[in-house]
């Protein structure tokens, strides 16, 4: 029941944003400085009441692909670092309980212990893996901070660029949008193939 309510909430938000998109864009241009927008992006990443992909696309529509990607990347990296530190220190036990809710992460957790950099980067790329779970898992598994940060920085870029581009240029350049989506899907397919091959050979 909760999943249906959450889905209904997201759809409602999407409809409202679409209806008032021009007013929202005007307001963001008038009142949104770069630090303020990064701060808002960080808060939304920490408390995801709105799908972050929607936020990236909205920023792309308002400010173009480059600035949308920069704002979104900085916001989500700040949020990811905060959650990682909390999971590694004061909220370690709560982090383990949270991860226990995601049975699909069990094999991924084992892979994280042996391939920390690749697993974190892959977790950022795969849309089906909750980003909050990756943050918590990295903290609980005590993955080194710089390994986690570097892997997250690289892994987040393709997805953020994709949604920023679709939000900013998707309607104006449909062919380019299809090519960008195809490249992203190809990247995911290649990564999944390598993961399965590595898992079978292990």
């Amino acid at each position: 029941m909760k999943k249906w309510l959450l889905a209904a909430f997201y759809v409602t938000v999407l409809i409202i944003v679409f209806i008032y998109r021009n007013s929202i864009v005007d307001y963001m241009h008038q009142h949104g400085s770069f630090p303020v927008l990064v701060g808002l992006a960080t808060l939304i990443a920490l408390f995801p009441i709105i799908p972050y992909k929607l936020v990236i696309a909205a920023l792309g529509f308002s400010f173009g692909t480059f600035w949308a990607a920069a704002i979104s990347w900085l916001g989500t990296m700040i949020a990811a670092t905060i959650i990682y530190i909390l999971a590694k220190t004061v909220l370690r036990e709560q982090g383990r309980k949270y991860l226990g809710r995601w049975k699909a992460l069990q094999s991924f957790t084992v892979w994280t212990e042996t391939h920390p950099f690749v697993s974190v980067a892959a977790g950022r790329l795969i849309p089906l893996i909750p980003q909050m779970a990756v943050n918590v898992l990295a903290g609980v598994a005590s993955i080194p901070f710089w390994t986690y940060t570097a892997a997250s920085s690289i892994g987040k870029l393709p997805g953020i660029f994709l949604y920023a581009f679709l939000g900013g240029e998707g309607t104006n350049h449909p062919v380019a949008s299809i090519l960008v989506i195809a490249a992203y899907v190809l990247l995911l397919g290649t990564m999944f193939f390598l993961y399965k091959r590595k898992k079978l050979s292990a």
Side-chain angles (χ1 to χ4, degrees):
M1 185 65 179
K2 289 182 179 180
K3 291 182 179 179
W4 283 108
L5 289 174
L6 185 62
F9 173 75
Y10 282 166
V11 170
T12 303
V13 171
L14 282 170
I15 293 172
I16 293 173
V17 169
F18 180 78
I19 293 173
Y20 295 101
R21 62 189 183 280
N22 293 326
S23 299
I24 293 171
V25 170
D26 291 340
Y27 182 85
M28 290 175 73
H29 277 293
Q30 292 174 11
H31 303 281
S33 66
F34 186 81
V36 170
L37 291 171
V38 171
L40 288 173
T42 302
L43 286 174
I44 294 172
L46 284 170
F47 307 101
I49 57 171
I50 301 173
Y52 204 74
K53 297 176 180 64
L54 176 61
V55 174
I56 300 170
L59 288 170
F61 183 77
S62 304
F63 301 101
T65 302
F66 174 79
W67 288 112
I71 293 166
S72 304
W73 183 82
L74 282 172
T76 189
M77 281 302 300
I78 294 170
T81 301
I82 292 171
I83 298 300
Y84 166 85
I85 292 172
L86 289 174
K88 190 174 182 178
T89 54
V90 295
L91 299 178
R92 197 177 185 88
E93 191 57 38
Q94 292 87 335
R96 288 196 181 94
K97 291 180 181 178
Y98 172 78
L99 292 174
R101 294 163 48 190
W102 304 96
K103 301 301 181 184
L105 288 176
Q106 290 180 354
S107 59
F108 186 75
T109 303
V110 175
W111 198 40
T112 300
E113 295 172 353
T114 54
H115 304 85
F117 183 91
V118 176
S119 61
V120 171
R124 297 309 188 189
L125 280 167
I126 301 173
L128 297 177
I129 297 180
Q131 293 301 291
M132 189 66 72
V134 177
N135 301 333
V136 174
L137 177 59
V140 170
S142 295
I143 291 176
F145 175 76
W146 292 115
T147 300
Y148 166 77
T149 304
S152 295
S153 300
I154 295 170
K156 284 177 177 292
L157 282 175
I160 287 176
F161 174 80
L162 170 67
Y163 293 107
F165 181 83
L166 292 178
E169 309 291 339
T171 56
N172 298 325
H173 304 284
V175 176
S177 299
I178 293 172
L179 291 175
V180 170
I181 293 172
Y184 185 67
V185 172
L186 180 62
L187 177 62
L188 290 178
T190 303
M191 185 181 61
F192 181 75
F193 171 77
L194 293 174
Y195 166 70
K196 295 296 289 185
R197 184 177 178 182
K198 187 74 175 178
K199 188 176 181 181
L200 289 172
S201 61

